[in-house]
Amino acid sequence: MAAKDDPIVIKKYANRRLYNTGTSTYVTLEDLAEMVKKGEEFTVQDAKTGDDITHPVLTQIIFELENKDGQNMLPIPFLRQLISFYGDQMQMIVPSFLEQSMIAFSKEQERFREQMKGAFGKTPMDMMKTPMKALEEQTRRNVEMFQNAMRMFTPFPPAGSNAATLAEPPKKEEKSDDLQELKAQIAAMQRKLDTMS
């Protein structure tokens, strides 16, 4: 029997059906989206293998929501930038940055809602100024946080560096030391991001 604080296990069967083991009922992607909105923790497991497939299922929910009329939250320039980071040196930093940005945004959302409420009853231009200022401020803070995080990462060669030196494989000992140094820098960046939020 699962403990009360353990996440609910959702099993996904080969026929694509999702089974909520907490309620002993079949659920849909929409049901899972509602669980996320309510803050209910769950993991999705492949019913046959037991593999954790939570990430692809959550991604599928986002895909479904983005395809509904009027539901688009991810602007095309953002999607293009995100795609460009796959396989890039920045790929390891992006998830942490996005996670910290969403945490900061979540903390500020109540303030945004209050500003939106306060904006009603004003002229249409006044209604847009207050929330836009708050959004611009949050964006500025996110950019500053990202720039501070980037200052901590110095193992990447600056643009225009000699590619011939990069093509030469490092010795095994150097490679291990570089990996340890990179891990230490990532941990330091995470600690700094945690103190900034």
Side-chain angles (χ1 to χ4, degrees):
M1 181 111 193
K4 186 177 182 189
D5 293 337
D6 286 347
I8 298 166
V9 175
I10 307 294
K11 293 194 179 237
K12 185 172 184 180
Y13 291 91
N15 62 4
R16 297 184 180 165
R17 292 193 75 184
L18 299 163
Y19 184 77
N20 183 332
T21 61
T23 60
S24 300
T25 58
Y26 285 99
V27 293
T28 63
L29 290 176
E30 291 83 15
D31 295 328
L32 295 183
E34 284 304 313
M35 289 173 70
V36 169
K37 290 176 184 178
K38 291 177 184 174
E40 296 178 31
E41 290 291 323
F42 63 85
T43 61
V44 184
Q45 296 177 356
D46 184 288
K48 186 175 182 180
T49 65
D51 291 343
D52 186 334
I53 56 171
T54 307
H55 187 274
V57 169
L58 292 176
T59 305
Q60 184 179 1
I61 291 170
I62 291 171
F63 177 78
E64 296 288 331
L65 290 172
E66 282 289 311
N67 281 317
K68 287 186 178 180
D69 288 336
Q71 293 263 358
N72 301 81
M73 281 201 314
L74 303 175
I76 290 174
F78 171 79
L79 293 171
R80 289 182 195 277
Q81 287 174 331
L82 191 59
I83 290 168
S84 72
F85 286 129
Y86 282 93
D88 186 88
Q89 291 173 332
M90 300 303 295
Q91 182 174 345
M92 62 162 66
I93 299 171
V94 172
S96 178
F97 173 73
L98 291 177
E99 183 177 10
Q100 292 301 318
S101 295
M102 288 306 293
I103 289 169
F105 183 77
S106 293
K107 288 178 180 176
E108 296 289 325
Q109 73 179 341
E110 194 57 43
R111 188 168 60 92
F112 288 149
R113 286 187 176 136
E114 290 301 317
Q115 289 175 343
M116 291 292 276
K117 282 184 201 171
F120 288 108
K122 299 178 181 179
T123 66
M125 284 305 287
D126 288 339
M127 285 177 62
M128 288 307 292
K129 285 179 187 175
T130 304
M132 289 308 289
K133 283 182 184 177
L135 199 54
E136 286 171 4
E137 177 64 20
Q138 182 65 42
T139 303
R140 185 190 61 73
R141 282 187 292 211
N142 286 351
V143 169
E144 284 177 6
M145 184 171 64
F146 186 69
Q147 288 171 339
N148 288 336
M150 290 310 302
R151 285 188 197 109
M152 295 176 65
F153 274 83
T154 56
F156 304 122
S161 67
N162 187 353
T165 60
L166 293 175
E168 184 180 76
K171 294 178 185 147
K172 190 166 184 126
E173 288 180 10
E174 290 175 3
K175 195 174 196 178
S176 177
D177 290 342
D178 289 346
L179 182 59
Q180 292 300 334
E181 182 179 337
L182 186 57
K183 285 180 180 179
Q185 289 175 344
I186 289 172
M189 181 187 74
Q190 185 63 48
R191 285 191 299 274
K192 185 160 184 144
L193 288 173
D194 289 344
T195 61
M196 294 171 76
S197 57

